Amino acid sequence: MKTFRCACGNTLYFENHQCLVCGRTLGFLPEQGVLSALEQKGDSWESLHVIAAGLRFRKCRNYEQENVCNWMVSVEDNNAYCLSCRLNHIIPDLSEPHNRTLWYRIECAKRRLMYTLLSLGLPIVGRDVDPVRGLTFEFLADIPADTEFTDEVSPQERVMTGHRAGLITINIAEADPGAREEMREKMNEAYRTLLGHFRHEIGHFYWMRLVENSDWLEPAREVFGDERQDYKAALDRYYRDGPVFDWSTRYISAYASAHPWEDWAETWAHYLHMVDTLETAHDFGFSMRGKPVTSPHEVLDRDAQYAYGTNVRRATFTDLLEDWVRLTAALNALNRSMGLGDPYPFDLPPGASEKLGFIHQLVQDSVGD
């Protein structure tokens, strides 16, 4: 994730909706990939960003009315919602006051997901284009455990975060840090975040869109395994017996060993972790032992000793992986210096690195690079 600049020169961050220096209203322009200062012109807003200078926009309805969004919609677009919010099918029940806070956190995480997908050039196909298998989201809550209708919540009444034919369901409890940490401990997981859920579940969507009926299917089976094995039986076995004994030598996580689909989704999520974090580090000018951290989108040739403007090319997976290993070691060390847990509690065995490389190649080829 990059930082941005206001028209006044102040540094802006992705979730900002107002510049704290000049007071200008801000809005993210998804087609241009920038957070822009805006000037109101009648019923619309004019961008002051050099990339979109003079272009006019409306606020997303969830920005204008609900204040849970900061994205803009082109005045030429008839949809009232931005590219992210228009993918929603069900939002939390806002008659419950705390749900608005949870919804805001969910939308922030979803917009970060969308930013990365747009940056990579991946197709975002909604139900308006594909009514059967297009991407859509439902944000749901468990039925309360103590009501006049029920004494306890049965497994059938719990909202399961997951993906089915383009529909991604998120249990809104995942936006509550306390509830999420309790579940992380219960599931004996090293890592559990709201953004991580989005990145994992969107991995299932892209298996369906990019792999399932393509020339990538057989190569994917060679790397991740045959997804035709019984999915329910595989998950039942995982939750009954635990991961395979040697999972740490072949998989990115214990859960990835449950089934090839979960291996794919866990690896896909990890690739998005890499892309976003490396972009952030690059934008902030991080260097590791004198070497600037690679941008995931564009990198100067290492043989040119990073001479500005020389030999610009796309980042290779080797570039990304080398910098990722060094950067995450530093991130963990910095957190330990503050008495905090590791933000990156993973190892990367060769098998997992190979799978990450496969996804990198598929993404590059899928956007025509």
Side-chain angles (χ1 to χ4, degrees), residues 1 14-15 28 71 84 87 105-122 124 135-137 139 168 170 194-203 205-206 268-269 271-273 275-276:
M1 176 63 66
F14 185 61
E15 282 84 12
F28 185 75
W71 282 28
S84 179
L87 297 172
R105 294 170 183 167
I106 287 168
E107 292 295 347
C108 285
K110 177 157 69 73
R111 287 194 300 275
R112 281 188 169 257
L113 169 71
M114 292 297 139
Y115 170 88
T116 303
L117 301 180
L118 290 168
S119 297
L120 290 172
L122 288 164
I124 301 173
L135 180 62
T136 191
F137 294 89
F139 307 131
I168 292 177
I170 301 289
L194 182 56
L195 182 54
H197 280 305
F198 274 106
R199 288 172 172 166
H200 175 99
E201 301 306 337
I202 204 72
F205 173 75
Y206 281 112
W268 180 278
Y271 181 72
L272 298 190
H273 293 335
V275 167
D276 196 38

Side-chain angles (χ1 to χ4, degrees), residues 59-352:
K59 287 184 175 180
C60 171
R61 181 173 290 174
N62 283 340
Y63 189 176
E64 186 73 46
Q65 297 183 4
E66 306 292 349
N67 203 31
V68 297
C69 181
N70 69 340
W71 282 28
M72 307 298 289
V73 183
S74 170
V75 293
E76 299 174 355
D77 188 337
N78 292 326
N79 201 307
Y81 294 97
C82 70
L83 291 178
S84 179
C85 289
R86 70 185 57 175
L87 297 172
N88 292 347
H89 181 231
I90 296 177
I91 64 170
D93 177 7
L94 299 183
S95 66
E96 173 61 43
H98 185 52
N99 282 358
R100 183 174 294 276
T101 298
L102 300 181
W103 184 34
Y104 171 75
R105 294 170 183 167
I106 287 168
E107 292 295 347
C108 285
K110 177 157 69 73
R111 287 194 300 275
R112 281 188 169 257
L113 169 71
M114 292 297 139
Y115 170 88
T116 303
L117 301 180
L118 290 168
S119 297
L120 290 172
L122 288 164
I124 301 173
V125 181
R127 290 288 166 103
D128 56 334
V129 175
D130 183 348
V132 177
R133 289 156 58 91
L135 180 62
T136 191
F137 294 89
E138 293 183 348
F139 307 131
L140 303 173
D142 290 331
I143 295 174
D146 185 15
T147 72
E148 60 182 305
F149 302 108
T150 181
D151 293 325
E152 63 179 9
V153 179
S154 71
Q156 291 74 27
E157 293 168 331
R158 292 190 178 96
V159 174
M160 300 300 293
T161 293
H163 168 271
R164 180 167 57 86
L167 169 62
I168 292 177
T169 301
I170 301 289
N171 188 324
I172 65 172
E174 294 292 346
D176 184 318
R180 188 174 62 251
E181 177 63 14
E182 181 180 357
M183 182 58 69
R184 188 191 68 80
E185 291 279 357
K186 181 179 179 181
M187 301 297 290
N188 194 31
E189 296 173 340
Y191 177 91
R192 189 183 185 96
T193 68
L194 182 56
L195 182 54
H197 280 305
F198 274 106
R199 288 172 172 166
H200 175 99
E201 301 306 337
I202 204 72
H204 290 300
F205 173 75
Y206 281 112
W207 173 277
M208 184 182 69
R209 301 299 306 192
L210 302 180
V211 177
E212 192 174 85
N213 295 307
S214 76
D215 293 339
W216 287 95
L217 181 57
E218 287 305 322
R221 285 173 176 165
E222 292 178 9
V223 174
F224 294 92
D226 192 336
E227 85 290 352
R228 291 170 293 187
Q229 62 181 276
D230 190 296
Y231 180 69
K232 183 180 183 303
L235 289 191
D236 288 345
R237 182 169 57 251
Y238 173 81
Y239 286 117
R240 182 185 66 245
D241 303 332
V244 297
F245 76 96
D246 63 341
W247 72 265
S248 62
T249 66
R250 296 189 287 139
Y251 298 94
I252 198 69
S253 69
Y255 187 55
S257 70
H259 186 275
W261 277 338
E262 298 306 333
D263 191 10
W264 164 270
E266 286 284 270
T267 308
W268 180 278
H270 211 87
Y271 181 72
L272 298 190
H273 293 335
M274 289 178 60
V275 167
D276 196 38
T277 307
L278 286 171
E279 183 184 39
T280 304
H282 176 82
D283 185 70
F284 275 89
F286 277 46
S287 293
M288 307 294 296
R289 300 191 184 279
K291 290 184 177 181
V293 171
T294 299
S295 163
H297 305 299
E298 204 168 70
V299 61
L300 301 178
D301 194 297
R302 293 183 184 277
D303 293 336
Q305 297 183 346
Y306 300 93
Y308 181 76
T310 304
N311 295 327
V312 175
R313 63 173 173 82
R314 297 289 286 185
T316 68
F317 179 69
T318 300
D319 294 325
L320 297 181
L321 186 62
E322 288 178 355
D323 284 358
W324 181 241
V325 170
R326 293 185 291 120
L327 179 63
T328 52
L331 290 174
N332 286 345
L334 288 169
N335 255 35
R336 292 170 190 172
S337 296
M338 293 293 294
L340 300 172
D342 290 351
Y344 186 74
F346 300 95
D347 290 317
L348 279 179

